[in-house]
C-alpha cells in the first residue's frame, strides 16, 4: 500500500474535476493537502470534503499564471505544514478551434495556464524540495501532447511542451532526489469532455481498445504511484492513461 503519511501534496486546479479526485486519493494515502484553484468556491468545497475525512487541508486561491500567487501558495504551504513533498501540476484549460480561426488570445491563454503555470509552480516548489533532498513532481499532460490533434493546436502544443518540461525538470533536479514524471490521460469523463459533441465523443470511444472512457480515478491511481516513495527510481517518463488509445 502506498504510504504518504506525514507528506504534503500541492495539487493545482484541484477545486474540481481530475485534480479534486487526485487530492482525495493522495489524502486517502495519508498526505496533507493543499488545494489550489482560481475557483474559490470549488476549492473550499473540496477542502470541506477532505476536512470531514479528518485530512489537514489548506486552500490557496490563485492563478498558476501569476508568479506572486504561486510564490504565496508555496509560502503558505511551508508556513502551515513546514514541508512540501509532492507537486501535481494539474491546472489546465482548453480553447479549441480550427487553427486558421484561433486567436492569439486563445493561444496565449492556454499556453500560459497549461505550460507557463507548470513552470512557475515547479520553480517555486523545488526550492523546499531541494533543501529536503526529496520531491515528487507529476505533470498532467495529455495524449494529444504526444500525438497532436486537429482543432487543438494550442492545447496539444502546451501538453507536448509539458512533456519536454517534465524531462528537463527530471534531469535538472535528479541529483537532489527529486523526480518528475508526466501522465498523458486520454478521454476522461469530466466537465472538460462533457462539452464535446456526441460525434466527437463517439469518435474517441471507437478508437479506445478498452472500449470505455477513462475516469478521474483511473488518472489518480497512476498519479498516486508516481507521487509515492515507491516510484523513486522512475523519472523523466510520460505514462499514457488512455485505455490503449496510443500504443
Ligand atoms: P476541469 O474539470 O476543467 O478542472 C481544471 C481545474 O483547473 C478547474 O477547477 C479550473 O478552474 C482550474 N483552473 C483553470 N485555470 C486555472 C489557473 N489559472 N490556476 C489555477 N487553477 C485553474 O478539467 P479536468 O478535466 O479535470 O482536467 C484536469 C487536467 O487534466 C488538465 O490539465 C487537463 O488538460 C488534463 N486532461 C484532461 C483530460 C480529460 O479528458 N478530461 C484528458 C487529458 C488531460 P475553473 O473551473 O474555474 O476554470
Amino acid at each position: 500500500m502506498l504510504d504518504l503519511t506525514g507528506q504534503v501534496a500541492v495539487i493545482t486546479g484541484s477545486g474540481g474535476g481530475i485534480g479534486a479526485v487526485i487530492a482525495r486519493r493522495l489524502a486517502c494515502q495519508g498526505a496533507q493537502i493543499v488545494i489550489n484553484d482560481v475557483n474559490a468556491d470549488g476549492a473550499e468545497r473540496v477542502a470541506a470534503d477532505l476536512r470531514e475525512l479528518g485530512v489537514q487541508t489548506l486552500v490557496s486561491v490563485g492563478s498558476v499564471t501569476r508568479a506572486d500567487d504561486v510564490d504565496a501558495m508555496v509560502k503558505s504551504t511551508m508556513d502551515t505544514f513546514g514541508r512540501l513533498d509532492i507537486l501535481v501540476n494539474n491546472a489546465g484549460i482548453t480553447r479549441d478551434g480550427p487553427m486558421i480561426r484561433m486567436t492569439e488570445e486563445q493561444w496565449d491563454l492556454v499556453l500560459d495556464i497549461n505550460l507557463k503555470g507548470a513552470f512557475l509552480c515547479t520553480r517555486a516548489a523545488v526550492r523546499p524540495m531541494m533543501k529536503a533532498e526529496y520531491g515528487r513532481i507529476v505533470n498532467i499532460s495529455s495524449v494529444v501532447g504526444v500525438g497532436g490533434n486537429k482543432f487543438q493546436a494550442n492545447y496539444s502544443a502546451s501538453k507536448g511542451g509539458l512533456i519536454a518540461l517534465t524531462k528537463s525538470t527530471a534531469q535538472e533536479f535528479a541529483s537532489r532526489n527529486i523526480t518528475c514524471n508526466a501522465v498523458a490521460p486520454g478521454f476522461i469523463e469530466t466537465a472538460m469532455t462533457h462539452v464535446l459533441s456526441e460525434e466527437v465523443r463517439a469518435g474517441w470511444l471507437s478508437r479506445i481498445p478498452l472500449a470505455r472512457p477513462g475516469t478521474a480515478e483511473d488518472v489518480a491511481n497512476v498519479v498516486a504511484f508516481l507521487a509515492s516513495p515507491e516510484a523513486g527510481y522512475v523519472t523523466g517518463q510520460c505514462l499514457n492513461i488512455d485505455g490503449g488509445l496510443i500504443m
Side-chain angles (χ1 to χ4, degrees):
M1 147 120 178
L2 305 172
D3 186 7
L4 302 178
T5 304
Q7 296 201 10
V8 174
V10 174
I11 304 109
T12 68
S14 52
I18 294 171
V21 175
I22 292 172
R24 196 168 307 120
R25 177 60 200 264
L26 299 186
C28 288
Q29 307 300 145
Q32 297 156 320
I33 302 294
V34 181
I35 303 287
N36 154 266
D37 210 290
V38 282
N39 176 350
D41 291 345
E44 289 298 347
R45 251 195 317 274
V46 175
D49 284 352
L50 294 182
R51 287 182 189 127
E52 249 178 48
L53 298 173
V55 180
Q56 281 198 59
T57 308
L58 176 71
V59 170
S60 175
V61 176
S63 174
V64 293
T65 62
R66 294 179 54 94
D68 48 358
D69 284 358
V70 169
D71 291 344
M73 172 180 80
V74 170
K75 184 176 183 314
S76 60
T77 300
M78 295 306 291
D79 290 348
T80 306
F81 298 115
R83 59 192 288 173
L84 197 178
D85 304 278
I86 298 162
L87 169 67
V88 182
N89 283 311
N90 167 79
I93 64 158
T94 52
R95 290 293 182 274
D96 299 349
M99 203 189 305
I100 52 170
R101 286 209 293 272
M102 190 172 282
T103 64
E104 284 183 59
E105 287 72 23
Q106 287 172 319
W107 175 272
D108 289 344
L109 185 64
V110 169
L111 269 288
D112 250 21
I113 294 175
N114 298 9
L115 185 55
K116 182 183 167 189
F119 156 67
L120 291 176
C121 292
T122 300
R123 187 179 68 174
V126 289
R127 288 196 182 104
M129 288 178 177
M130 284 169 75
K131 272 197 196 127
E133 299 212 350
Y134 182 89
R136 296 278 182 269
I137 301 169
V138 184
N139 293 329
I140 311 299
S141 180
S142 165
V143 286
V144 306
V146 180
N149 198 21
K150 64 182 176 182
F151 309 141
Q152 288 198 307
N154 49 1
Y155 183 74
S156 56
S158 72
K159 294 299 187 179
L162 192 53
I163 294 170
L165 177 67
T166 300
K167 295 178 184 187
S168 299
T169 306
Q171 290 176 36
E172 200 160 328
F173 300 104
S175 65
R176 299 301 185 107
N177 194 29
I178 298 167
T179 65
C180 181
N181 293 287
V183 297
F187 186 84
I188 309 295
E189 291 281 15
T190 67
M192 190 178 267
T193 46
H194 285 162
V195 298
L196 299 175
S197 69
E198 268 313 311
E199 192 190 346
V200 172
R201 289 174 62 85
W204 276 99
L205 285 174
S206 68
R207 291 187 288 132
I208 299 174
L210 285 174
R212 68 166 176 87
T215 64
E217 285 75 14
D218 289 323
V219 178
N221 288 338
V222 179
V223 172
F225 168 65
L226 293 173
S228 73
E230 283 85 346
Y233 203 54
V234 181
T235 197
Q237 304 304 306
C238 179
L239 184 53
N240 294 352
I241 308 169
D242 64 355
L245 184 67
I246 295 182
M247 293 192 188

